[in-house]
């Protein structure tokens, strides 16, 4: 690396730099457990990000791991690969309506934008959230609490990540030995979409 100053990457792991991240391998665990333990669901679909992107693959692995933990058979038809944008809900919902015998009890989305899109697509087809299908997202962006219904999601502590990045630089400048990775906790935020 040509850089002569400390560099901190936030949310994305970059070798040779300090990294302030969340663990995408477990980020969806609490939400999935919530649907299984609290709601008793076993028909849980997953709207993933693009296949082959590290955070999408890790979030999808979380889904697969928790289903296995509860002995819920993995049905690949319950997984749809989206694009992390607001425009993939229609295609995902149409795919599931055309390929599954019954409605899912829940659709877990790898980010909030896709969850908004899924909620709209379900509403356009006369399917009520959460009465007929529960929906959740990930990130807890500002619009999540204001959405109708308010979105169940995973809060990523972006403000705290920024604070930690500044603290990493401060420690570096003071010569304090520290690890290359700071991993912050995420939290399930249960709202009215489930």
């Amino acid at each position: 690396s040509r850089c002569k100053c400390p560099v901190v990457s936030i949310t994305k792991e970059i070798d040779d730099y300090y990294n302030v991240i969340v663990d995408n391998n477990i980020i969806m665990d609490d939400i999935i457990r919530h649907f299984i333990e609290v709601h008793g669901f076993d028909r849980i679909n997953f709207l993933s990000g693009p296949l082959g992107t590290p955070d999408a693959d890790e979030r999808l692995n979380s889904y697969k791991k928790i289903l296995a933990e509860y002995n819920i058979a993995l049905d690949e038809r319950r997984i749809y690969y989206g694009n992390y944008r607001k425009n993939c809900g229609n295609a995902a919902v149409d795919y599931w309506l055309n390929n599954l015998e019954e409605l899912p009890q829940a659709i877990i989305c790898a980010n909030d934008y896709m969850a908004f899109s899924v909620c709209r697509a379900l509403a356009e087809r006369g399917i009520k959230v959460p009465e007929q299908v529960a929906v959740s997202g990930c990130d807890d962006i500002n619009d999540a609490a204001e959405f109708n219904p308010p979105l169940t999601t995973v809060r990523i502590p972006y403000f705290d990540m920024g604070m930690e990045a500044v603290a990493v630089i401060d420690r570096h400048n003071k010569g304090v030995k520290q690890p290359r990775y700071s991993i912050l906790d995420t939290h399930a935020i249960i709202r009215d979409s489930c």
Side-chain angles (χ1 to χ4, degrees), residues 116 141-151 191:
F116 298 155
I141 63 173
N142 290 337
D143 293 342
E146 306 302 320
F147 192 74
N148 185 17
L151 188 66
R191 296 194 181 107

Side-chain angles (χ1 to χ4, degrees), residues 13-32:
E13 295 180 47
I14 301 177
D15 291 340
D16 301 324
Y17 295 140
Y18 293 108
N19 294 272
V20 179
I21 58 173
V22 296
D23 188 346
N24 278 301
N25 289 299
I26 63 170
I27 197 169
M28 308 301 293
D29 290 10
D30 288 344
I31 288 283
I32 301 164

Side-chain angles (χ1 to χ4, degrees), residues 106-135:
I107 298 173
I108 297 171
C109 302
N111 80 351
D112 290 343
Y113 288 124
M114 293 192 300
F116 298 155
S117 180
V118 162
C119 287
R120 288 186 193 102
L122 290 168
E124 288 168 5
R125 289 153 182 80
I127 301 168
K128 294 180 179 155
V129 174
E131 294 84 357
Q132 291 174 275
V133 178
V135 177

Side-chain angles (χ1 to χ4, degrees), residues 34 39 62 69-70 79 82 147 168 173:
H34 172 80
H39 296 284
S62 174
E69 186 180 301
Y70 287 88
I79 300 168
F147 192 74
V168 165
N173 289 341

Side-chain angles (χ1 to χ4, degrees), residues 76-146:
E76 292 288 340
R77 297 175 304 163
R78 295 199 176 279
I79 300 168
Y80 188 87
Y81 295 93
N83 58 12
Y84 279 142
R85 296 190 181 95
K86 298 177 184 177
N87 65 355
C88 66
N90 282 321
V93 169
D94 284 343
Y95 170 79
W96 287 320
L97 290 177
N98 290 325
N99 288 285
L100 297 172
E101 296 76 34
E102 53 189 335
L103 282 176
Q105 294 164 308
I107 298 173
I108 297 171
C109 302
N111 80 351
D112 290 343
Y113 288 124
M114 293 192 300
F116 298 155
S117 180
V118 162
C119 287
R120 288 186 193 102
L122 290 168
E124 288 168 5
R125 289 153 182 80
I127 301 168
K128 294 180 179 155
V129 174
E131 294 84 357
Q132 291 174 275
V133 178
V135 177
S136 71
C138 185
D139 293 332
D140 196 27
I141 63 173
N142 290 337
D143 293 342
E146 306 302 320

